[in-house]
Amino acid sequence: MVLKAQELFWEKGYNATSLSDLSTATGAGAGSLYNTFKGGKKELFKKSLQQRKEDLEGFKIKLANSDTPIELIKSFFISVATASKKSHLKGCIVANTIVEMTFIDEELENEAIEILKETEKLYTTTILAAQKKGNIKSKIPAPTLGKHLITLWCGINTLRRIYPDKEILKQQIELQLQLIN
Amino acid sequence: MVLKAQELFWEKGYNATSLSDLSTATGAGAGSLYNTFKGGKKELFKKSLQQRKEDLEGFKIKLANSDTPIELIKSFFISVATASKKSHLKGCIVANTIVEMTFIDEELENEAIEILKETEKLYTTTILAAQKKGNIKSKIPAPTLGKHLITLWCGINTLRRIYPDKEILKQQIELQLQLIN
DNA sequence: CTATTTTTGTATCGAATATTACAAAAATAA
DNA sequence: TTATTTTTGTAATATTCGATACAAAAATAG
């Protein structure tokens, strides 16, 4: 149920998604939605965000089990270029929420910010380890490179709406990943 | 009147800004607003976007009158870091609109995309000229570098909401501007 | 089985939304 | 001045919003 709601929120954002939309998409009546998610629409949105947090935990585990986790991160970024057109247009629900919710709902904004900061932490740790192992030659401090990947992520997630084009995106992503070498 | 409306739209986005908000902010009654802007709320938003287009024209002229226009572009990016906290949180109304309006209103989305593409064109032209003049040594094709600046712009405009911090932003911007050298 | 609790869908609520009708007021024209 | 047009603010419009009340239905317990 949350996944169906997440898909809608991801596409249309919080404000433009009505409870009627959610009811149709999930197949549950308004009463059921409010019984299941006591906080109503907002709670349902929170759950949709937290879902991404869990996905991040899954990625964390993958990185922990990899010999060259930094390569996993790089290929994750590169794989964005070949996503579907709809994925391009949807962008990232976390980044979208930060943009939409500033000045509107501090709690939702902060939830989204927290997720990106946690992602950044994961990147930074991985980069630092790779530098020590010699898999990254760059002497740029790991925290700087970690933030750079977040900036890249946010940038690409708008660029892919302007240019939902595999070649353009691949070019831009690889250009910026050169810093992590 | 448009500027007051623009300020509100810029902060809260299209959907979260009500006509009542606009009426209060501009000091004009609903009747006046609809008489002045025949398309209602949407037309007022369009005008707010077009205002940015005119600002871009102003920047174009500045570049045309400069001996080293590429330096103007660079210092524009760097100056973003030292903006006010509110400016950081507001981000860019054009980029915000692209994020908010995909799947919601194709016309507004395309208006915003057009502005960023025109900005990109301006960057690309300037970069190409600087390469020919020897002011940029990089052999990366100008169109690629132009798109890179757009990606940087969109990325920074989300990063500055997460970190409305002068030092962090300056560091990230300068890191990415190294590609334009 | 029966009794009790939980879940569901519908109908409805009040509030807020964008828009319009319209009359008073202001500006302009003659 | 007087006549005409334009602009303004208020009130009312229909619609949609998120949320709730509530009774039927389903699930669970004993």
Side-chain angles (χ1 to χ4, degrees):
Chain A
M1 193 135 106
V2 173
L3 283 183
K4 278 286 177 190
Q6 187 199 48
E7 193 183 336
L8 253 186
F9 279 135
W10 199 327
E11 283 178 27
K12 305 179 60 172
Y14 182 80
N15 283 312
T17 303
S18 73
L19 216 81
S20 159
D21 291 336
L22 292 166
S23 186
T24 304
T26 61
S32 301
L33 285 177
Y34 274 88
N35 191 285
T36 311
F37 307 96
K38 279 186 192 169
K41 183 184 171 184
K42 184 170 168 180
E43 184 63 26
L44 192 44
F45 189 84
K46 270 199 214 173
K47 289 277 192 302
S48 300
L49 272 184
Q50 282 166 12
Q51 184 62 44
R52 296 303 293 168
K53 219 168 180 172
E54 289 175 28
D55 297 343
L56 180 64
E57 291 303 317
F59 191 55
K60 240 183 228 182
I61 293 171
K62 269 195 178 180
L63 290 183
N65 292 338
S66 169
D67 288 334
T68 53
I70 191 63
E71 292 304 321
L72 263 180
I73 290 177
K74 281 189 192 173
S75 48
F76 164 71
F77 271 92
I78 290 171
S79 75
V80 168
T82 59
S84 69
K85 174 161 186 187
K86 190 164 192 181
S87 292
H88 289 324
L89 298 184
K90 284 170 72 179
C92 164
I93 191 178
V94 183
N96 295 351
T97 300
I98 294 176
V99 171
E100 185 184 4
M101 285 307 165
T102 315
F103 297 110
I104 306 296
D105 189 306
E106 203 181 348
E107 190 186 354
L108 293 180
E109 184 203 358
N110 285 334
E111 292 251 6
I113 287 182
E114 264 319 300
I115 296 177
L116 278 198
K117 284 193 175 175
E118 205 177 313
T119 308
E120 179 198 335
K121 214 165 113 185
L122 184 63
Y123 289 160
T124 302
T125 306
T126 308
I127 290 169
L128 185 63
Q131 284 177 321
K132 284 184 177 167
K133 256 181 110 181
N135 289 335
I136 293 180
K137 323 278 183 199
S138 168
K139 297 283 184 258
I140 298 168
T144 303
L145 292 179
K147 285 187 179 62
H148 173 251
L149 286 185
I150 296 298
T151 309
L152 170 60
W153 177 250
C154 295
I156 285 294
N157 271 292
T158 304
L159 189 76
R160 65 203 293 216
R161 305 206 196 212
I162 306 174
Y163 295 112
D165 180 286
K166 181 183 164 181
E167 292 308 321
I168 291 178
L169 293 172
K170 193 178 168 223
Q171 195 176 48
Q172 289 298 316
I173 293 166
E174 287 180 343
L175 184 67
Q176 298 217 32
L177 284 182
Q178 284 177 12
L179 281 171
I180 322 286
N181 265 340
Chain B
M1 193 134 104
V2 173
L3 283 182
K4 279 287 177 189
Q6 187 199 48
E7 192 182 337
L8 252 187
F9 280 135
W10 200 326
E11 284 180 26
K12 304 179 61 173
Y14 182 78
N15 283 312
T17 303
S18 72
L19 215 82
S20 159
D21 290 338
L22 292 166
S23 185
T24 304
T26 61
S32 301
L33 285 178
Y34 274 87
N35 191 287
T36 311
F37 306 95
K38 276 186 194 170
K41 183 184 170 183
K42 184 171 168 179
E43 185 63 26
L44 191 43
F45 189 84
K46 271 199 214 172
K47 289 277 191 302
S48 300
L49 273 184
Q50 281 167 11
Q51 184 62 46
R52 296 302 295 167
K53 219 167 181 172
E54 290 175 29
D55 297 343
L56 180 64
E57 291 302 317
F59 191 55
K60 241 182 228 182
I61 294 170
K62 270 194 177 181
L63 290 182
N65 292 339
S66 169
D67 288 334
T68 52
I70 190 66
E71 293 303 321
L72 262 181
I73 290 178
K74 281 189 192 174
S75 48
F76 164 71
F77 271 91
I78 291 171
S79 75
V80 168
T82 59
S84 69
K85 174 161 185 186
K86 190 165 193 182
S87 292
H88 288 323
L89 298 184
K90 284 169 73 178
C92 164
I93 191 177
V94 183
N96 295 352
T97 301
I98 295 176
V99 171
E100 185 184 4
M101 286 306 164
T102 316
F103 299 111
I104 306 297
D105 189 304
E106 204 181 348
E107 191 185 354
L108 293 180
E109 184 203 357
N110 286 335
E111 292 252 7
I113 287 181
E114 265 319 299
I115 296 177
L116 278 198
K117 283 192 175 173
E118 205 178 313
T119 308
E120 179 197 335
K121 214 165 112 185
L122 184 63
Y123 290 160
T124 302
T125 307
T126 308
I127 290 169
L128 186 63
Q131 284 176 322
K132 283 184 178 167
K133 254 181 110 181
N135 289 334
I136 293 180
K137 322 279 183 200
S138 169
K139 296 281 183 256
I140 299 168
T144 304
L145 292 178
K147 285 186 180 62
H148 173 251
L149 286 185
I150 297 298
T151 310
L152 170 60
W153 177 249
C154 295
I156 285 295
N157 271 293
T158 304
L159 190 74
R160 65 204 291 218
R161 304 207 197 211
I162 306 174
Y163 295 111
D165 180 287
K166 180 183 164 183
E167 291 309 320
I168 291 177
L169 294 172
K170 193 178 169 223
Q171 196 177 47
Q172 290 298 316
I173 294 166
E174 287 180 343
L175 185 68
Q176 298 216 35
L177 285 182
Q178 285 177 9
L179 280 171
I180 323 287
N181 265 340

